[in-house]
Amino acid sequence: MKLKPVNIISGVTPEEFVKDYFSKGQPVIIKDFISKESPCWGKWSYDYFKEIAGDEQVNIYGKEDDAQNHVASPPIGKMTFGEYLDLIREKPTELRLFLFNLMKLRPELKKDVIYNDPTGGKVLQWLPLMFFGGEGSATRNHIDIDMSHVFISQFQGAKRVWLFPNDQSDLMYKLPYNFHSIANLKTSSQEKYPGLKFLDGYEAVIEPGDTLYMPAGWWHYIQYETEGYSISVRALPNSFTEKLKGARNLFITRYFDNFMRKVLKNKWLDYKISTAEKRANKAIRRLEK
């Protein structure tokens, strides 16, 4: 597996960003996507979040390797938001909050974030989602189901992100009718998954104030170097084909997969794993020629 560092930019015009990154689908770290004048920088903290929403019940997510047969990993339990924040501050943990809509619970928080939209108005600023994780936790390698462009901004702690273009899906052992891979990019052996050694992607480490632009349809494996949290906002896919694919994933593919899993149970997962392995072997043979 080859990983190149992601470029870092600041002060670019929307015309420059759209031409050099957005239209080309090129990942990049943006240093000024969230304005330094935003109230969040001097206001937000774990203690502040506990004060305004500490009693809210939240879904907790754990290791995702145990949910290979699911489009989205189910939560493993609940606790209060305050209890969770205390936990990640006290010790490393694999527990995460996934697609947590704190700003829906507390809409006033939206006013604390001022965006410098480099797309010229394509970013859906009204749909922010938050992600919290403990030191050592990680998401499984996946592509986003809606095929949107994602801008993920770090507010606390540090994340390491590995990124790969969509055309390397077969080498990652992507499960059909799902949006993640069988292989764990960090822990799986290349003897078992030889396609991994042919991967050619990018690595980014984002810290408070950094925003990683992840192009539509790109694979990403996110690791929490420390405890922390981030906010993601999205922009719709560029082409009609990508928009259609995202809509199909949301409204057809995932429901078909759920139906087949209920009907065929483990046989459905066995079929998907077998298909993923066959596609990977075919992709390897093409490269070796």
Side-chain angles (χ1 to χ4, degrees):
M1 182 168 61
K2 298 178 183 177
L3 294 170
K4 304 178 286 291
V6 174
N7 287 342
I8 301 172
I9 60 172
S10 64
V12 297
T13 66
E15 292 77 16
E16 291 170 333
F17 180 79
V18 170
K19 175 178 175 290
D20 295 335
Y21 299 99
F22 196 71
S23 295
K24 294 180 179 178
Q26 178 65 39
V28 69
I29 294 174
I30 309 168
K31 299 296 280 188
D32 51 2
F33 182 79
I34 304 292
S35 170
K36 302 305 179 186
E37 305 302 317
S38 297
C40 58
W41 296 121
K43 184 177 179 182
W44 290 6
S45 68
Y46 290 153
D47 289 334
Y48 175 67
F49 289 151
K50 285 181 64 177
E51 179 184 334
I52 65 170
D55 293 333
E56 295 285 347
Q57 288 285 320
V58 294
N59 288 324
I60 304 299
Y61 295 82
K63 289 184 67 174
E64 295 191 300
D65 292 345
D66 298 330
Q68 288 283 23
N69 204 20
H70 293 261
V71 170
S73 298
I76 62 171
K78 286 181 177 288
M79 64 175 63
T80 68
F81 187 34
E83 289 171 338
Y84 176 76
L85 293 177
D86 288 340
L87 174 64
I88 63 174
R89 283 197 287 191
E90 290 170 1
K91 59 184 179 182
T93 176
E94 294 177 336
L95 300 180
R96 296 173 295 110
L97 302 188
F98 173 68
L99 295 177
F100 179 42
N101 204 339
L102 176 60
M103 293 186 179
K104 184 177 181 181
L105 296 172
R106 299 293 183 270
E108 64 271 19
L109 293 176
K110 291 184 180 181
K111 299 177 183 178
D112 292 343
V113 184
I114 302 170
Y115 298 96
N116 294 318
D117 184 354
T119 68
K122 294 182 174 63
V123 172
L124 306 178
Q125 298 181 23
W126 53 269
L127 189 61
L129 294 167
M130 301 186 77
F131 299 82
F132 289 76
E135 178 183 342
S137 61
T139 68
R140 61 185 172 188
N141 186 43
H142 68 284
I143 55 176
D144 285 359
I145 188 172
D146 61 356
M147 299 297 289
S148 290
H149 301 273
V150 177
F151 296 80
I152 184 164
S153 300
Q154 194 71 9
F155 284 80
Q156 168 77 24
K159 282 181 178 176
R160 186 178 302 273
V161 186
W162 293 345
L163 297 149
F164 302 88
N166 192 268
D167 61 11
Q168 296 185 32
S169 295
D170 289 345
L171 294 171
M172 293 188 190
Y173 300 82
K174 175 187 179 298
L175 287 171
Y177 307 104
N178 285 79
F179 311 97
H180 57 274
S181 61
I182 307 171
N184 182 309
L185 298 190
K186 194 167 188 176
T187 61
S188 294
S189 71
Q190 293 186 0
E191 287 72 25
K192 185 174 182 179
Y193 300 106
L196 298 182
K197 64 185 178 184
F198 295 97
L199 294 177
D200 189 358
Y202 292 85
E203 180 177 66
V205 176
I206 54 174
E207 298 177 331
D210 294 341
T211 297
L212 176 61
Y213 163 60
M214 299 190 295
W218 274 56
W219 289 86
H220 41 284
Y221 176 65
I222 300 177
Q223 309 150 72
Y224 285 77
E225 299 287 282
T226 69
E227 47 71 31
Y229 70 95
S230 57
I231 289 179
S232 74
V233 287
R234 315 173 93 73
L236 295 177
N238 297 336
S239 70
F240 175 76
T241 300
E242 288 175 324
K243 291 184 177 71
L244 187 63
K245 185 181 293 186
R248 183 186 66 196
N249 291 343
L250 283 168
F251 301 114
I252 299 175
T253 304
R254 64 171 172 171
Y255 294 108
F256 173 76
D257 183 69
N258 286 338
F259 173 76
M260 295 299 290
R261 186 176 68 253
K262 290 177 182 177
V263 172
L264 297 179
K265 298 182 170 55
N266 288 338
K267 290 182 180 179
W268 180 237
L269 178 59
D270 293 341
Y271 160 75
K272 290 191 291 185
I273 291 175
S274 174
T275 301
E277 291 173 342
K278 289 176 182 177
R279 290 175 178 173
N281 292 335
K282 186 176 180 180
I284 292 169
R285 288 194 296 271
R286 284 197 303 266
L287 290 171
E288 288 178 337
K289 288 180 180 179

